[in-house]
Amino acid sequence: MSDTDAAPVTSAPPQPWLYRILTPDGRQSLRRRLLAFLLIPLMLMLMIESLITYAGALIYSNHVHDRDLADNVSTMAQMLSKENVNGEISAQARFLLDYDSEGHNYFSVSSQKHGLLAGNPQLQPPSAATGDPTLFNTTQEHRKLRAASISIPAAHDPSDKLTLTMAETLRDRHQRAREILFLSIPAQALLIAAVFALVWYGVRIGLRALDPLTKRLAAREHDLAPISDVDVPVEILPLTRTIDGLFARLRGMLALQERFIADAAHQLRTPLAGLRVHVERAQADPSPATVNDALEHIQRLTNRASRTSTQLLALTRAQSPEHETGVHALIDLGRFIPELLSLRVHEALAAGVDLGYDGPSAPVWIDGDRTTLQELLDNLIDNSLRYAGRDSIVTVAITIEDDRQVCLSIEDNGPGVPAEFLARLGERFFRVPGCHEEGTGLGLAIVQRIAERHRARVHYLSSNEGGLRVEILFPPAQTGKG
């Protein structure tokens, strides 16, 4: 077989990577699925919490370093305020300002009269207030700096003013924030692990609520009763109700099967017994007259058995739940019925019956299934041809009622049915007492069931000619005519 001839492989829907890790064997697990979808949010929460913690730690670190930077600027300003600065600062002050653990000197001392006295000429504050230091951000050599600046009066010249600016990089600030984050991560991870363990335990305990239902189902053998009960959790009620619906359909199918077997055994018992009797009679007396008579009876009984089995199968199909979901299409009865009648004309002529049609020329629309409607009409015609008798008239008609219902009727002028038995027509295996024509009693039962599938109503009436009139009222068509 070539690759193109191989059957397509249906792949399972993609699962989260964490779920695939938790299910290495590929088997579905409700517990693992719940844990996978709970653990992912918990991990996301840990990441978000870490970001929040780092941001808070950075804010705290900035606050501490800003306070230290402001204190350093104030301390150096007090030292300079006591020195006699005349164009330069003292060696001790320069040493303190030059010291930096990273080897970078970010400071400047300038005089209002003499200009820059020491430090970096590019490190100039936007403005410096006398009193409290002013903090601001700046950049030097592509480095982001945090600076503090303060102005003080010169000791040797009250008319002069000194401005001191000191700056530092942000490395220590971020380092302190990372240290705080690394200290908090183990505690947060431990908390997440504890929550996950509690979730794991909770899921295990929660899924034990399914144990009573599992035990009840395991204890069953052939019981198809509903499984929904008070001990079924609300979350799986849709599942149990779906299973109950499946059980109900299975019960219907099994009941239909049992009824079919019982009906077949009941209806075929008589023709089979007759066949055995006539076979034995022919075997006992092999004379041509006896054999021919036995063969005629065998043929008649065989036809009866064949018709009975066909009718039983037709009734079973009409009662099958599969037909409930059949797709109905728009059908023009004004065209469909005459087409079906034309197929039965030769049979009617052979039976000596005048088969006619009376209906409007305009389309008459209903929602229906063509196959079952043909079976419905065939059974109605079979019933009329069989019981109306020779030289009778059978008329199939279509009319539209005042409420837009479509009436399909078949009427004959035969012997009819006594009024007290009209209500029982349509029952399975019911035959009017005193009727000597062969039949199974299933034809009108099939008509009744097919009509119900089309949401139609069946009425059995006495015709004006003394025979039987069967009316089937179809609801107005709901399907658009396109």
Side-chain angles (χ1 to χ4, degrees):
M1 180 183 295
S2 64
D3 294 341
T4 57
D5 296 333
V9 179
T10 303
S11 59
Q15 301 289 352
W17 61 269
L18 182 59
Y19 179 74
R20 294 196 297 269
I21 293 176
L22 292 175
T23 55
D25 54 358
R27 298 187 62 183
Q28 296 287 335
S29 170
L30 181 59
R31 179 184 292 107
R32 293 174 182 176
R33 189 178 184 88
L34 289 174
L35 292 174
F37 283 101
L38 288 174
L39 184 57
I40 291 176
L42 289 176
M43 295 175 65
L44 291 176
M45 288 178 58
L46 177 60
M47 296 176 60
I48 295 174
E49 179 65 22
S50 299
L51 293 176
I52 294 175
T53 301
Y54 181 77
L58 186 59
I59 292 174
Y60 176 76
S61 178
N62 285 331
H63 176 73
V64 172
H65 280 76
D66 283 351
R67 184 178 58 189
D68 292 343
L69 183 60
D71 290 343
N72 291 337
V73 169
S74 298
T75 301
M76 289 301 302
Q78 291 179 3
M79 179 181 294
L80 292 176
S81 66
K82 297 178 182 179
E83 293 184 0
N84 185 7
V85 179
N86 188 11
E88 61 179 359
I89 61 176
S90 65
Q92 182 182 5
R94 181 180 293 275
F95 173 79
L96 294 176
L97 290 172
D98 279 340
Y99 175 76
D100 184 89
S101 59
E102 297 181 359
H104 301 291
N105 298 319
Y106 301 111
F107 73 93
S108 68
V109 180
S110 60
S111 170
Q112 187 175 3
K113 290 184 176 181
H114 305 285
L116 181 66
L117 302 180
N120 192 335
Q122 298 179 353
L123 190 63
Q124 297 295 326
S127 62
T130 303
D132 295 331
T134 300
L135 296 169
F136 61 94
N137 296 321
T138 185
T139 302
Q140 291 291 322
E141 300 175 357
H142 306 292
R143 289 176 178 265
K144 294 182 178 180
L145 304 176
R146 183 66 169 170
S149 180
I150 190 172
S151 295
I152 57 175
H156 68 284
D157 186 359
S159 62
D160 192 9
K161 185 171 65 173
L162 299 177
T163 299
L164 171 62
T165 302
M166 298 180 63
E168 63 183 11
T169 63
L170 304 181
R171 186 182 67 86
D172 288 344
R173 298 166 182 258
H174 290 283
Q175 181 65 28
R176 299 291 88 77
R178 286 193 293 269
E179 290 175 357
I180 296 174
L181 174 62
F182 293 151
L183 289 175
S184 64
I185 283 180
Q188 295 174 2
L190 183 61
L191 179 61
I192 294 294
V195 171
F196 184 74
L198 291 176
V199 170
W200 181 287
Y201 179 76
V203 169
R204 290 188 60 187
I205 297 300
L207 291 178
R208 289 180 184 176
L210 301 178
D211 291 345
L213 176 61
T214 304
K215 293 179 180 178
R216 284 210 319 270
L217 291 176
R220 292 188 179 190
E221 293 184 359
H222 305 290
D223 185 11
L224 294 178
I227 63 175
S228 297
D229 206 345
V230 292
D231 63 343
V232 176
V234 176
E235 289 77 10
I236 66 168
L237 272 180
L239 173 61
T240 58
R241 287 170 180 168
T242 302
I243 296 176
D244 288 345
L246 175 61
F247 282 178
R249 292 191 293 272
L250 287 176
R251 289 196 302 270
M253 293 293 293
L254 292 175
L256 190 62
Q257 181 182 18
E258 293 174 358
R259 182 184 300 172
F260 173 78
I261 294 173
D263 292 343
H266 179 269
Q267 294 298 314
L268 296 178
R269 183 188 302 117
T270 300
L272 290 177
L275 287 173
R276 183 178 62 183
V277 169
H278 291 291
V279 169
E280 292 175 352
R281 186 164 66 91
Q283 289 176 340
D285 184 5
S287 63
T290 302
V291 171
N292 289 334
D293 182 68
L295 289 176
E296 290 179 0
H297 282 85
I298 289 174
Q299 183 178 13
R300 187 163 55 252
L301 291 171
T302 302
N303 292 336
R304 177 182 173 183
S306 176
R307 177 173 174 78
T308 300
S309 61
T310 302
Q311 293 287 75
L312 283 173
L313 289 173
L315 179 62
T316 303
R317 286 196 303 269
Q319 293 175 332
S320 173
E322 294 180 358
H323 286 76
E324 295 285 357
T325 57
V327 178
H328 286 191
L330 204 62
I331 299 176
D332 178 13
L333 285 185
R335 181 178 179 181
F336 182 62
I337 297 300
E339 291 177 354
L340 297 181
L341 288 179
S342 64
L343 302 176
R344 305 298 300 271
V345 170
H346 296 291
E347 185 178 349
L349 292 175
V353 175
D354 182 5
L355 180 61
Y357 170 74
D358 182 17
S361 57
V364 180
W365 300 101
I366 68 166
D367 294 316
D369 175 65
R370 300 179 70 91
T371 302
T372 55
L373 283 178
Q374 179 176 357
E375 195 169 2
L376 177 145
L377 184 63
D378 285 341
N379 278 279
L380 289 175
I381 295 176
D382 288 342
N383 188 75
S384 297
L385 297 182
R386 184 178 300 275
Y387 298 107
R390 297 189 67 85
D391 300 326
S392 61
I393 299 175
V394 177
T395 303
V396 179
I398 297 176
T399 57
I400 300 178
E401 304 295 316
D402 294 337
D403 55 358
R404 295 177 54 239
Q405 292 190 103
V406 177
C407 178
L408 170 64
S409 65
I410 182 168
E411 184 177 5
D412 63 66
N413 60 348
V417 177
E420 62 269 22
F421 297 118
L422 288 175
R424 297 196 59 187
L425 296 179
E427 294 182 8
R428 295 165 57 249
F429 305 116
F430 174 75
R431 301 189 66 208
V432 177
C435 179
H436 301 291
E437 294 291 336
E438 291 186 358
T440 61
L442 294 174
L444 293 181
I446 296 173
V447 170
Q448 187 81 28
R449 187 55 179 156
I450 293 175
E452 292 173 359
R453 292 294 173 89
H454 288 78
R455 297 180 292 112
R457 292 178 288 116
V458 183
H459 300 296
Y460 303 100
L461 310 168
S462 295
S463 70
N464 296 330
E465 303 295 331
L468 177 66
R469 177 181 174 85
V470 181
E471 293 182 351
I472 304 176
L473 295 175
F474 293 92
Q478 301 296 323
T479 308
K481 301 179 180 59

